[in-house]
């Protein structure tokens, strides 16, 4: 009886081992869609995707070619756990290769005519895959244009569901930003959005947004058009975006990348490397952010532009000699571009003005206030700001760019000392700003109101300096011609 029981157990174990026998797959196998594409194909057949992938045997090379007929696309997932000495890779229809160690049903969206999976199994491991084919839905493309000397265009996940065609005057420059969701990595879903080098989804398919993001570089169309198209509609909540520009505006950059600061509540450090040539990085932000600090050697210059890179849009130049006195700095506006001429620099950014310490100044501080659409003709130029000195009294000075004063627009700049106004100017077309103004106080306030006028917005540069009461002991309000490091040319 006892012996019999032991054999029973042994039999059970053997059958278990047999069922879990590592599978063999050597050679090349072709997988075609089933007649009824409502049914996905699972490999190895019989694998239940809710369980661990089955084991494959060591010492074999397996390849699968999965056909995707024209008019269809494939939604592909793998579960794999490969030993370091083995190689598992997937090659899509454009020839882009993804090497995989471990994955658990990460999504891939694949186009015709085929893709392949290669497994060089030097050691045993686990592997299973699921392929679902879908018919391509008819698309109703939307069109956008980008022009030289223009504000960039940002489009978001969801905007490509019906395909989007972008037309440039020269070529289209595309930057891909990651998902803004930080709870889980949704970036693999960027594989859903395909990039075509031409005016429709019939143009040359060059890859997907995930590849553009992973390459860490921009994509530039060969002609005037670029088409983006998401194979499966409705992934808006992935929260990724693209920045599109006419290549004319960005052609001088050796490297060019988008800035993505996902964790708004902490400081975001952005590195620029211009050792191989001019390096640029653009930040899209619907309102404003602060540069808290810049670290750079004394060999280079970092220029900052609003909207696009031309002299008229330059907000400031930073070198190692002013990068400490001229930060923190608030950058008001949707698109801010940082351009570094050589070597390397790190720009530390934050959304919260308190964390940047923007509103309190130490003596020798320099900076500027600008309208949200500065240097563009717009009626949305209003802003209001104030900065208070750490010292009881400072010599506070400012200069106003007079171009902002047109139509009904008004600009009020006041310097206060212990909450009492010591200098106040209301600039308008009947009271144009002159040169630099200074007064001894502790606070500077600015308020710009377009009052319905379309203007290029205002730019007020300011400075806080130590007040030497030995030189003068009464409050001076004067217009001086002395020029301190002005941010204008
Ligand atoms: C295709 O498969 C689905 C799901 O199994 C089924 O509901 C449908 O009836 C099948 N269609 C045809 C034409 O067999
Ligand atoms: C698998 O492919 C590799 C690389 O081509 C080769 O070196 C190796 O001998 C192959 N192994 C088997 C078992 O065929
Ligand atoms: C890979 O296989 C080798 C040899 O069987 C083994 O020693 C090693 O632990 C394996 N590595 C992993 C990560 O499983
Ligand atoms: C695509 O466009 C068509 C026609 O305008 C519309 O009916 C459809 O809802 C759109 N689909 C998506 C996913 O936006
Ligand atoms: C793409 O080509 C197919 C087949 O030639 C055609 O039916 C379809 O209208 C084309 N689509 C676009 C957007 O040009
Ligand atoms: C703003 O508009 C004025 C008047 O139309 C024009 O002279 C000026 O060039 C425009 N400026 C910009 C930056 O577009
Ligand atoms: C205050 O600063 C301005 C501009 O730098 C300078 O011209 C002026 O002499 C300074 N005044 C005092 C009292 O230091
Ligand atoms: C500036 O305008 C404000 C608001 O209209 C007014 O209270 C203030 O007295 C004016 N100051 C000067 C110096 O004109």
């Amino acid at each position: 009886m006892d012996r019999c029981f032991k054999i029973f157990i042994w039999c059970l174990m053997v059958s278990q081992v047999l069922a879990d026998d590592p599978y063999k797959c050597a050679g090349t196998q072709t997988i075609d869609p089933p007649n009824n594409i409502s049914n996905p194909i699972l490999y190895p057949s019989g694998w239940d995707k809710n369980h661990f992938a089955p084991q494959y045997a060591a010492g074999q090379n397996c390849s699968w070619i999965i056909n995707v007929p024209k008019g269809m696309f494939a939604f592909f997932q793998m579960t794999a756990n490969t030993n370091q000495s083995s190689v598992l890779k997937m090659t899509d229809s454009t020839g882009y290769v993804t090497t995989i160690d471990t994955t658990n049903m990460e999504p891939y969206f694949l186009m015709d005519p085929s893709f392949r999976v290669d497994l060089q199994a030097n050691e045993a491991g686990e592997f299973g895959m699921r392929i679902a084919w879908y018919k391509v839905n008819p698309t109703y493309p939307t069109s956008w244009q980008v022009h030289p000397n223009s504000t960039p265009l940002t489009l978001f996940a969801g905007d490509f569901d019906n395909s989007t065609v972008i037309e440039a005057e020269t070529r289209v420059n595309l930057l891909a930003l990651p998902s803004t969701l930080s709870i889980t990595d949704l970036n693999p879903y960027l594989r859903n959005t395909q990039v075509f080098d031409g005016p429709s989804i019939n143009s040359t398919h060059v890859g997907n947004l995930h590849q553009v993001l992973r390459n860490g570089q921009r994509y530039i169309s060969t002609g005037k058009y670029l088409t983006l198209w998401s194979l499966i509609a409705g992934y808006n909540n992935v929260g990724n975006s693209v920045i599109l520009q006419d290549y004319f505006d960005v052609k001088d950059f050796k490297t060019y990348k988008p800035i993505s600061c996902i964790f708004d509540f902490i400081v975001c450090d952005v590195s620029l490397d211009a050792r191989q040539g001019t390096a640029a990085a653009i930040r899209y932000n619907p309102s404003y952010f602060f540069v808290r600090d810049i670290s750079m050697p004394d060999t280079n210059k970092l220029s900052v532009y609003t909207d696009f890179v031309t002299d008229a849009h330059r907000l400031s130049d930073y070198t190692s000699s002013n990068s400490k006195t001229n930060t923190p700095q608030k950058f008001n506006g949707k698109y801010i571009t940082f351009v570094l001429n050589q070597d390397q620099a790190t720009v530390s950014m934050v959304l919260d003005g308190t964390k940047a310490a923007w509103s309190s100044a130490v003596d020798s501080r320099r900076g500027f206030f600008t309208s949200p659409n500065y240097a563009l003709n717009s009626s949305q130029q209003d802003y209001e700001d104030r900065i208070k000195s750490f010292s009881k009294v400072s010599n506070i000075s400012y200069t106003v760019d007079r171009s902002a004063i047109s139509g009904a627009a008004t600009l009020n700049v006041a310097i206060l000392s212990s909450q009492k106004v010591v200098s106040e100017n209301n600039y308008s077309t009947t009271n144009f700003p002159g040169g630099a103004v200074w007064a001894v106080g502790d606070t500077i306030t600015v308020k710009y109101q377009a009052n319905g006028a379309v203007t290029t917005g205002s730019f007020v540069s300011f400075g806080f300096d130590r007040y030497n009461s030995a030189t003068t002991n009464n409050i001076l309000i004067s217009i001086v011609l002395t020029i301190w490091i002005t941010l204008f040319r």
Side-chain angles (χ1 to χ4, degrees):
M1 175 68 200
D2 183 51
R3 183 189 155 93
C4 190
F5 183 72
K6 272 185 187 150
I7 287 169
F8 176 66
I9 296 286
W10 185 83
C11 289
L12 213 68
M13 279 168 68
V14 167
S15 71
Q16 194 63 35
V17 167
L18 284 177
D20 281 358
D21 224 14
Y23 66 84
K24 296 209 164 52
C25 50
T28 302
Q29 302 173 53
T30 303
I31 301 179
D32 285 309
N35 288 333
N36 183 350
I37 59 166
S38 305
N39 305 307
I41 285 188
L42 286 157
Y43 185 97
S45 59
W47 167 52
D48 172 357
K49 72 180 171 74
N50 298 318
H51 290 106
F52 287 126
Q55 274 231 323
Y56 55 79
Q60 54 176 346
N61 287 338
C62 313
S63 295
W64 296 270
I65 292 171
I66 297 111
N67 284 324
V68 182
K70 198 157 178 57
M72 285 190 197
F73 64 90
F75 179 68
F76 176 65
Q77 292 166 295
M78 288 177 279
T79 285
N81 191 4
T82 46
N83 187 290
Q84 284 154 352
S85 67
S86 301
V87 186
L88 173 63
K89 58 186 189 180
M90 199 275 282
T91 310
D92 73 12
S93 61
T94 69
Y96 186 93
V97 180
T98 309
T99 304
I100 300 117
D101 296 328
T102 57
T103 180
N104 187 13
M105 302 306 265
E106 208 179 271
Y108 291 83
F109 301 78
L110 295 147
M111 297 271 299
D112 66 89
S114 67
F115 63 97
R116 64 181 291 153
V117 176
D118 294 285
L119 174 65
Q120 186 185 323
N122 297 334
E123 296 292 338
E126 287 150 10
F127 176 71
M129 57 185 169
R130 178 184 189 271
I131 312 132
W133 287 263
Y134 293 91
K135 282 218 163 66
V136 164
N137 286 318
T139 61
Y140 306 87
T142 48
S143 311
W144 293 91
Q145 290 188 326
V146 288
H147 300 281
N149 294 313
S150 292
T151 303
L153 168 69
T154 294
L155 296 175
F156 299 88
D159 288 345
F160 322 116
D161 285 0
N162 246 328
S163 84
T164 296
V165 182
I166 301 103
E167 180 184 2
E169 284 176 37
T170 64
R171 295 156 76 185
V172 182
N173 188 94
L174 166 78
L175 296 172
L177 283 101
S179 162
T180 47
L181 257 74
S182 48
I183 1 158
T184 167
D185 182 15
L186 291 181
N187 286 332
Y189 286 92
L190 269 67
R191 295 188 181 113
N192 183 25
T193 306
Q194 310 302 317
V195 182
F196 301 86
D197 186 19
S200 87
I201 60 167
N202 286 345
S203 307
T204 312
H205 175 227
V206 291
N208 60 51
L209 289 186
H210 188 252
Q211 293 166 6
V212 178
L213 179 75
R214 285 289 291 270
N215 292 346
Q217 284 164 23
R218 54 177 159 179
Y219 177 77
I220 305 159
S221 65
T222 54
K224 288 163 80 167
Y225 295 94
L226 183 80
T227 300
L228 298 172
W229 176 43
S230 297
L231 296 172
I232 298 182
Y235 282 125
N236 320 31
N237 54 3
V238 172
N240 64 297
S241 59
V242 296
I243 297 178
L244 298 151
Q245 283 165 288
D246 195 298
Y247 178 60
F248 178 87
D249 284 356
V250 293
K251 63 181 182 322
D252 296 334
F253 309 147
K254 174 78 181 169
T255 59
Y256 185 35
K257 65 177 183 185
I259 297 172
S260 124
C261 295
I262 295 168
F263 299 99
D264 289 344
F265 48 91
I266 55 169
V267 173
C268 174
D269 285 338
V270 176
S271 301
L272 286 122
D273 186 347
R275 286 175 299 180
Q276 310 298 321
T278 309
I282 187 167
R283 178 161 187 181
Y284 166 77
N285 193 297
S287 52
Y288 56 80
F289 66 91
F290 300 85
V291 165
R292 204 182 63 143
D293 184 35
I294 302 169
S295 349
M296 60 199 299
D298 59 12
T299 50
N300 54 9
K301 184 173 85 173
L302 180 74
S303 302
V304 188
Y305 300 82
T306 179
D307 284 292
F308 51 95
V309 177
T310 59
D311 275 347
H313 287 251
R314 183 167 57 221
L315 296 173
S316 51
D317 284 338
Y318 297 96
T319 60
S320 66
S321 64
N322 72 2
S323 66
K324 300 301 166 198
T325 53
N326 295 31
T327 52
Q329 176 60 53
K330 180 177 189 170
F331 286 97
N332 215 354
K334 282 196 180 67
Y335 294 94
I336 300 290
T337 306
F338 297 84
V339 181
L340 186 68
N341 66 342
Q342 59 186 32
D343 299 325
Q344 291 165 286
T346 301
V347 186
S348 166
M349 308 174 184
V350 69
L351 276 194
D352 180 348
T354 327
K355 290 211 174 79
W358 161 249
S359 303
S360 39
V362 290
D363 287 342
S364 78
R365 166 95 177 266
R366 298 285 179 271
F368 56 86
F369 303 105
T370 48
S371 287
N373 290 297
Y374 177 67
L376 295 176
N377 273 325
S378 168
S379 56
Q380 316 276 302
Q381 300 285 22
D382 292 5
Y383 71 95
E384 211 177 334
D385 214 334
R386 72 161 51 217
I387 292 183
K388 191 172 188 303
S389 176
F390 268 122
S391 319
K392 262 211 170 87
V393 282
S394 295
N395 176 2
I396 304 176
S397 50
Y398 69 88
T399 307
V400 177
D401 171 9
R402 55 185 292 154
S403 65
I405 310 301
S406 69
T410 57
L411 171 69
N412 173 280
V413 189
I415 294 169
L416 290 77
S417 181
S418 303
Q419 295 172 13
K420 287 204 190 71
V421 173
V422 290
S423 160
E424 184 177 31
N425 283 296
N426 286 329
Y427 299 111
S428 66
T429 47
T430 56
N431 179 28
F432 266 119
V437 177
W438 66 269
V440 174
D442 56 34
T443 302
I444 181 169
T445 67
V446 286
K447 185 176 186 177
Y448 183 78
Q449 287 170 291
N451 296 318
V454 171
T455 79
T456 51
S458 86
F459 186 106
V460 179
S461 54
F462 65 81
F464 281 73
D465 285 296
R466 203 166 84 87
Y467 169 61
N468 189 349
S469 56
T471 327
T472 166
N473 47 24
N474 46 11
I475 293 161
L476 279 175
I477 302 167
S478 155
I479 293 178
V480 290
L481 296 172
T482 321
I483 295 163
W484 40 264
I485 316 161
T486 169
L487 295 153
F488 301 106
R489 295 263 159 115

